[in-house]
Amino acid sequence: SYGQYVTGSFDEFVIWERALTPDEIQLYYNAATGLPVCTTERVSMPPPRELDSSFATTDALSPTKAYSADRVSPEEGTERFQYPVTTDGFLESSLVLPNETLQHQTASNLTKNFLQTVGEVLALPSWSGAAEAATVVSGLIGMVDKVMIHVGSNLEGNPASVVNIEGSSPVADYSLVKVPGGSSLINYRFPSQGKSFILIPGEAFHRKTQITIVGLLYHTMHQYYKQIEPLHTKISESVLHKDHKITVMSYIISLKIEPPPSLSHNLSGSPLTSITLSHKLTPAQYHYALNKTNQVYLWCAFLDFSSGSAVWSNEGCIRIGGNISYSVCLCNHLTNFAILMQVVPLELEPVHQVALSAITYVGCSLSIVCLTVTLIIFGVLSSVTTIRNQRYHIHANLSFAILVAQILLLISFRFMPNTLPCKALAILLHFFFLGVFSWMLVEGLHLYSMVIKVFGSEESKHFYYYGIGWGSPLVICIVSVTSAFDSYGNADNCWLSIERGAIWAFVAPALFVIVVNIGILIAVTRIISRISTDNYKIHGDANAFRLTAKAVVVLLPILGISWASGVLAVNNYALMFQYIFAVFNSLQGFFIFLFHCLLNSEVRAALKHKTKVWSLNSSSMRNINVKPFNSDIMNGNRAITTPTKLNTWDKSTEFGNRMDLSAV
């Protein structure tokens, strides 16, 4: 309503000992906005009680005096601060501060209230989320450092003992130390406790002169440096990956010493400043840092104000140790320090990219053809008794889900990210790939019910199977789309966003299915192996052991165990597992066709029977009595004779529960 907008920049801090009157506020407003001041009234700011120091009295403020104001501590002492601003509205690096001796209590109160005011500025919602927040915070840090070193320098010392002011505020932990000349310092650590600290060797101090030490450990400043452009830093290594932003991942710690300590210019020499900082990672940052497919770069850096603006630099600093939780650095100077992190995804060499793309295209194309043939065969044989059962219904649904998913996958390569068609394809891919995993889970549950433990009737299982196979993917997709629609198709491809965490809407269900099916496969394999062992002991049939391996190979495509190679493609052998993942999963449809259609004895027998019926019908031989086709393998019927050999694929009578190994 006043035509003025908050930009997030600031020019001064004024601490008054009382509330200003409306006229006084109007004077400051007119002066700050350039409006004429029409009054010559003197404005006096007396303290609530008599103090040792005299208070300044200012004339009516004019625009030229807009940024000069009295600052008074609540207890005692006054100072006059002037904060010139640049053309951008931010603080200049220089401050005009009086050189007056401050008593211990005065300096303590001034420090406490000054940092409290800084915290109030940081809490302002008008600029905390703005794009220029990092620039504002950098200027604020520079100003706080200068004010604090000025207070420390003017702190009244004691020639016989060390004067120390320590405290903590929401903004920072702070320490102001005045060491008399001639004192012996072994080492100095700030702060004295905690996992983040700076250590100065004793031999770096000038022992014959008075030493002023000011330390600050900022609690929240690092949160404003989440998207640092590599090109806007003095870290040459980061520019090599200029498309990947840098993040401050530790507290910002500052230590200033007057006179400056004698530190070695050579980072391999001594003495040097030792800095230990614990990392403050969000769960997402921790995940990216541990992901083996990412290269993590860590730098010991500081805010360099030498160019007039704050720029992150690592000149004169080196990281010598640490892990994902902390870093240890050595530097040959003192200033503001922090740990910077840049996460760069590892990129495959062009030859591997071409090879993996070729495998994906060829494998998916072959699978699409094979799955189409499989669905046609299942449809033609649907009238045959042995094919008209739950097992082949499940096979057909799984084949359909894989077929559509792989077709959509090949189509998605042709669309540009961040477009509406790409988002639509990403949603469809999410649904059908979830459908693939859901029907692989149904395959495992059906196998469990047939071989290990019988539960439910055929009708009830039919209802549950379709609910799991198509219902659960639909529910997950609806929840994901409504809560994170922008996470679809906004990265480098038409898929879910990894940075925003939406990928877990696919990864979590997939991992669950893989774990469950691995457990079912192990249980089924144990039973088959047990029967094979008994068969070998009774009849000496060495081929019985091959049946176990054959069963595992046949079950792998429909249970989706090969998808586990995608999870393993994040370690030191990532490239090998990426090839395994590309081969086996692009050819999943081909393996289903091979093991559950082409080489399946029931399907071959049904085709033979169907072909015979067609041949008889075409020859008009309707009077020939065609023996109805039935599957002894499926129904488990045998003539009532004494078997001479235990058939591994029969229903076992040696277990207390019913087992139908024809499901294998």
Side-chain angles (χ1 to χ4, degrees):
S1 60
Y2 297 100
Q4 304 293 327
Y5 300 94
V6 177
T7 64
S9 58
F10 54 89
D11 47 46
E12 66 175 324
F13 290 107
V14 181
I15 303 177
W16 301 105
E17 65 175 353
R18 63 170 175 80
L20 300 180
T21 66
D23 291 337
E24 293 166 347
I25 296 174
Q26 186 65 46
L27 286 175
Y28 272 96
Y29 177 79
N30 292 344
T33 56
L35 296 177
V37 181
C38 301
T39 178
T40 59
E41 178 185 0
R42 292 173 62 85
V43 182
S44 179
M45 305 297 179
R49 65 178 188 274
E50 290 297 329
L51 299 174
D52 295 337
S53 302
S54 60
F55 285 83
T57 303
T58 60
D59 292 331
L61 290 176
S62 65
T64 59
K65 292 185 178 181
Y67 299 101
S68 180
D70 291 333
R71 310 195 92 189
V72 184
S73 72
E75 301 293 338
E76 56 179 335
T78 65
E79 290 191 86
R80 177 181 298 274
F81 293 82
Q82 183 179 2
Y83 301 99
V85 293
T86 64
T87 55
D88 296 330
F90 299 110
L91 284 173
E92 287 183 348
S93 59
S94 61
L95 294 172
V96 179
L97 301 170
N99 289 317
E100 298 179 5
T101 301
L102 299 174
Q103 296 181 358
H104 186 281
Q105 188 62 39
T106 303
S108 178
N109 293 332
L110 181 60
T111 300
K112 184 185 302 182
N113 288 281
F114 174 68
L115 291 178
Q116 180 181 350
T117 305
V118 173
E120 293 173 356
V121 172
L122 288 173
L124 291 175
S126 57
W127 64 272
S128 59
E132 67 273 11
T135 306
V136 177
V137 170
S138 297
L140 180 59
I141 290 175
M143 185 200 68
V144 171
D145 285 348
K146 284 181 171 57
V147 171
M148 293 295 291
I149 193 66
H150 179 81
V151 173
S153 299
N154 288 273
L155 176 64
E156 185 177 14
N158 188 329
S161 62
V162 175
V163 178
N164 187 16
I165 297 176
E166 289 186 348
S168 180
S169 73
V171 175
D173 296 336
Y174 58 89
S175 175
L176 288 81
V177 181
K178 203 84 167 184
V179 182
S183 299
S184 177
L185 288 176
I186 300 176
N187 290 310
Y188 179 78
R189 167 179 163 154
F190 170 79
S192 58
Q193 296 180 346
K195 297 181 179 180
S196 297
F197 59 90
I198 294 181
L199 184 66
I200 306 295
E203 61 266 27
F205 292 101
H206 299 276
R207 303 182 185 277
K208 296 183 180 181
T209 60
Q210 182 176 255
I211 301 173
T212 301
I213 305 175
V214 177
L216 288 160
L217 179 65
Y218 295 100
H219 296 159
T220 59
M221 298 294 195
H222 65 285
Q223 299 175 359
Y224 297 92
Y225 298 96
K226 297 180 180 179
Q227 298 288 327
I228 304 173
E229 292 286 349
L231 294 176
H232 297 166
T233 69
K234 293 182 179 180
I235 304 174
S236 57
E237 298 91 339
S238 68
V239 180
L240 300 176
H241 311 284
K242 59 183 180 180
D243 295 331
H244 303 281
K245 303 294 181 63
I246 301 174
T247 303
V248 174
M249 58 179 297
S250 72
Y251 288 147
I252 298 176
I253 190 168
S254 172
L255 190 68
K256 300 294 178 65
I257 299 177
E258 294 291 343
S262 300
L263 298 173
S264 172
H265 295 287
N266 189 350
L267 289 176
S268 60
S270 65
L272 292 171
T273 303
S274 175
I275 305 153
T276 301
L277 293 172
S278 61
H279 300 166
K280 304 299 177 182
L281 296 174
T282 64
Q285 290 173 333
Y286 190 79
H287 169 73
Y288 291 135
L290 290 182
N291 194 332
K292 297 293 185 177
T293 60
N294 294 329
Q295 179 68 46
V296 179
Y297 297 94
L298 298 176
W299 293 286
C300 302
F302 63 95
L303 281 171
D304 185 358
F305 292 92
S306 61
S307 62
S309 60
V311 178
W312 286 102
S313 173
N314 67 338
E315 296 176 4
C317 288
I318 185 173
R319 184 174 181 267
I320 62 170
N323 53 31
I324 192 63
S325 301
Y326 75 98
S327 292
V328 180
C329 307
L330 291 178
C331 294
N332 58 14
H333 59 275
L334 290 174
T335 181
N336 305 282
F337 299 102
I339 304 300
L340 273 58
M341 178 177 72
Q342 186 181 36
V343 180
V344 180
L346 294 177
E347 296 183 358
L348 291 174
E349 297 179 6
V351 61
H352 294 300
Q353 292 180 355
V354 172
L356 289 171
S357 298
I359 292 173
T360 301
Y361 275 105
V362 174
C364 287
S365 301
L366 181 60
S367 289
I368 288 172
V369 174
C370 292
L371 288 171
T372 303
V373 175
T374 300
L375 290 174
I376 292 174
I377 292 176
F378 285 168
V380 171
L381 301 179
S382 60
S383 60
V384 180
T385 305
T386 53
I387 307 301
R388 193 172 62 248
N389 59 64
Q390 279 188 343
R391 188 163 76 255
Y392 289 99
H393 275 290
I394 297 171
H395 291 346
N397 279 278
L398 175 60
S399 300
F400 177 75
I402 297 175
L403 174 65
V404 177
Q406 292 190 342
I407 291 175
L408 292 174
L409 179 64
L410 295 180
I411 295 175
S412 68
F413 295 151
R414 303 296 181 182
F415 285 87
M416 294 295 295
N418 293 314
T419 60
L420 187 59
C422 184
K423 287 183 177 291
L425 275 173
I427 295 173
L428 290 175
L429 278 171
H430 188 199
F431 173 75
F432 279 101
F433 271 113
L434 282 178
V436 170
F437 277 93
S438 297
W439 280 106
M440 288 192 297
L441 177 62
V442 171
E443 292 274 11
L445 295 176
H446 183 71
L447 182 64
Y448 182 85
S449 70
M450 296 297 291
V451 177
I452 301 175
K453 185 176 180 180
V454 180
F455 57 88
S457 63
E458 294 294 319
E459 292 76 13
S460 64
K461 287 192 291 185
H462 194 77
F463 174 78
Y464 289 127
Y465 288 167
Y466 274 88
I468 295 173
W470 295 118
S472 56
L474 182 62
V475 172
I476 294 174
C477 279
I478 290 175
V479 173
S480 179
V481 170
T482 54
S483 60
F485 177 75
D486 293 337
S487 297
Y488 286 88
N490 68 342
D492 297 331
N493 46 46
C494 301
W495 186 232
L496 292 165
S497 171
I498 297 178
E499 288 77 10
R500 302 184 182 184
I503 190 65
W504 285 102
F506 172 75
V507 173
L511 288 176
F512 172 76
V513 172
I514 291 173
V515 171
V516 171
N517 280 358
I518 287 176
I520 293 174
L521 179 64
I522 293 173
V524 172
T525 304
R526 288 180 60 188
I527 291 179
I528 299 174
S529 177
R530 189 173 173 182
I531 296 175
S532 300
T533 302
D534 293 340
N535 202 12
Y536 176 76
K537 290 179 180 179
I538 297 173
H539 305 287
D541 185 5
N543 292 328
F545 293 104
R546 298 179 184 175
L547 296 177
T548 303
K550 178 182 177 182
V552 173
V553 172
V554 170
L555 291 174
L556 283 177
I558 63 172
L559 296 182
I561 309 301
S562 59
W563 281 83
S565 59
V567 180
L568 298 174
V570 293
N571 53 26
N572 296 331
Y573 303 97
L575 184 60
M576 179 183 70
F577 282 108
Q578 285 185 22
Y579 275 100
I580 294 174
F581 180 79
V583 171
F584 283 98
N585 289 283
S586 63
L587 294 175
Q588 186 178 11
F590 168 74
F591 290 132
I592 290 177
F593 167 75
L594 181 65
F595 294 129
H596 299 276
C597 188
L598 187 62
L599 300 180
N600 187 287
S601 58
E602 289 182 348
V603 174
R604 288 202 311 245
L607 280 173
K608 184 177 180 180
H609 170 73
K610 201 73 174 179
T611 304
K612 188 174 181 180
V613 171
W614 289 337
S615 177
L616 293 175
N617 287 338
S618 62
S619 303
S620 300
M621 299 176 63
R622 301 183 181 276
N623 294 327
I624 296 179
N625 184 18
V626 180
K627 183 179 179 181
F629 173 76
N630 202 355
S631 174
D632 290 336
I633 299 176
M634 175 59 194
N635 297 328
N637 297 328
R638 294 288 186 272
I640 305 177
T641 60
T642 302
T644 59
K645 183 183 291 187
L646 177 62
N647 192 317
T648 307
W649 305 104
D650 286 345
K651 298 176 183 178
S652 175
T653 59
E654 296 189 12
F655 297 91
N657 56 339
R658 171 181 175 270
M659 295 180 296
D660 186 0
L661 294 183
S662 63
V664 181

